[in-house]
Amino acid sequence: MRQNPKGKMLTEEEKTYHFKRLQSRNYKASLLLEGIHLDPTEKPQKHGMQTEAKLIAELKARYAR
């Protein structure tokens, strides 16, 4: 478990805050993968005439570890 700078374990409040922040970040990333853009200043990518299979292959290549 991660420790705070003072060397003590995280409090329940700190754990809850961290979990909620992580959950929110993951949810937003999931929406982006689905093509839903929450930021109005961000322009969605145009995929043109690409097939679904080609888009999936590109996403797999992009997020491969």
Side-chain angles (χ1 to χ4, degrees), residues 23-51:
Q23 186 179 36
S24 175
R25 186 173 56 204
N26 287 344
Y27 181 69
K28 288 176 185 175
S30 234
L31 289 175
L32 279 176
L33 287 174
E34 293 293 329
I36 300 169
H37 300 278
L38 297 177
D39 185 1
T41 61
E42 181 181 337
K43 295 192 179 226
Q45 296 178 354
K46 299 281 184 187
H47 296 294
M49 302 300 285
Q50 291 180 332
T51 65

Side-chain angles (χ1 to χ4, degrees), residues 1-15 17-18 21:
M1 172 151 282
R2 184 175 84 79
Q3 293 184 346
N4 65 19
K6 295 179 184 173
K8 297 180 181 177
M9 298 297 280
L10 296 173
T11 65
E12 287 298 317
E13 185 178 296
E14 290 170 325
K15 289 177 192 176
Y17 172 76
H18 174 72
R21 200 176 81 205

Side-chain angles (χ1 to χ4, degrees), residues 46-62:
K46 299 281 184 187
H47 296 294
M49 302 300 285
Q50 291 180 332
T51 65
E52 184 176 341
K54 188 173 180 179
L55 284 173
I56 291 171
E58 287 177 4
L59 285 172
K60 283 182 179 179
R62 180 176 173 188

